[in-house]
């Protein structure tokens, strides 16, 4: 077994342990996550959707928020996200926005669907034209909104992300 594989197994086990521990404590669904960079755990997270009444408080998002706070940066470049389950579309997008370099997961999204956590609707909705999505969405162009975007484009001291 390679050193990377051994580390992957260890950190993935920690994510799985977090999923069980916090599920048993009633924090939320059976999901845990750990973010590691250069052999150091930056943060851990677990599902807190029902305990925090926050539909965005998935394990991965919680871990990403904590890791970014811990390192004082919005970028987690070079970090690996270990998660007990394949990230949902929101968590996957969050990992991309955070510039996570690698993701390692245990259960698949099909496994999650079998126990009532089915993201297929979201995966199906994303590629649809806006007019065909289930949630009615209207585009109302605004000169003021365009002006704000132009001000951002012209802002000399912006921090790009």
């Amino acid at each position: 077994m390679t050193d990377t594989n051994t580390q992957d197994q260890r950190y993935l086990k920690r994510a799985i342990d977090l999923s069980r521990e916090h599920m048993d404590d009633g924090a939320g669904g059976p999901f845990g996550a750990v973010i590691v960079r250069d052999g150091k755990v930056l943060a851990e997270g677990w599902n807190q959707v029902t305990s925090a009444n926050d539909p965005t408080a998935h394990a991965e998002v919680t871990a990403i928020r904590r890791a970014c706070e811990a390192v004082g940066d919005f970028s987690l470049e070079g970090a690996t996200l270990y998660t007990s389950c394949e990230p949902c579309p929101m968590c996957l997008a969050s990992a991309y926005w955070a510039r996570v370099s690698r993701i390692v997961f245990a259960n698949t999204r099909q496994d999650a669907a079998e126990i009532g956590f089915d993201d297929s609707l979201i995966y199906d909705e994303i590629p649809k034209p806006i007019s065909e999505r289930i949630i009615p969405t209207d585009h109302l162009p605004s000169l003021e909104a365009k002006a704000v975007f132009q001000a951002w484009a012209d802002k000399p001291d912006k921090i790009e992300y």
Side-chain angles (χ1 to χ4, degrees):
M1 193 180 295
T2 66
D3 188 44
T4 300
N5 195 13
T6 302
Q7 285 184 357
D8 286 349
Q9 292 292 335
R10 183 174 78 224
Y11 294 126
L12 189 58
K13 181 179 182 326
R14 178 62 185 150
I16 294 164
D17 289 346
L18 287 166
S19 72
R20 178 174 294 280
E21 175 186 340
H22 293 285
M23 174 196 68
D24 288 346
D25 288 347
F31 306 98
V34 178
I35 298 177
V36 178
R37 183 165 58 192
D38 300 325
K40 179 182 180 220
V41 173
L42 301 180
E44 298 179 338
W46 49 90
N47 186 284
Q48 298 176 318
V49 169
T50 57
S51 59
N53 293 318
D54 180 353
T56 69
H58 290 201
E60 298 91 338
V61 171
T62 302
I64 287 168
R65 289 174 180 161
R66 290 177 178 159
C68 288
E69 186 175 343
V71 301
D73 197 351
F74 55 81
S75 174
L76 297 175
E77 192 170 337
T80 298
L81 168 62
Y82 294 91
T83 179
S84 62
C85 187
E86 181 178 356
C88 76
M90 176 184 68
C91 294
L92 183 60
S94 297
Y96 275 98
W97 278 111
R99 294 170 177 77
V100 166
S101 295
R102 185 168 171 252
I103 299 170
V104 178
F105 66 90
N107 293 316
T108 67
R109 67 188 203 199
Q110 291 79 16
D111 296 329
E114 289 174 10
I115 63 164
F117 295 94
D118 190 352
D119 329 13
S120 62
L121 171 71
I122 301 168
Y123 280 104
D124 292 345
E125 284 287 292
I126 290 171
K128 287 182 182 177
I130 291 172
S131 62
E132 294 178 22
R133 293 182 184 160
I134 292 171
I135 297 175
T137 305
D138 297 311
H139 175 216
L140 295 175
S142 165
L143 293 176
E144 284 181 90
K146 282 284 194 193
V148 174
F149 270 25
Q150 188 59 54
W152 171 259
D154 297 340
K155 186 174 172 51
D157 60 341
K158 67 182 168 232
I159 298 173
E160 295 191 27
Y161 61 97

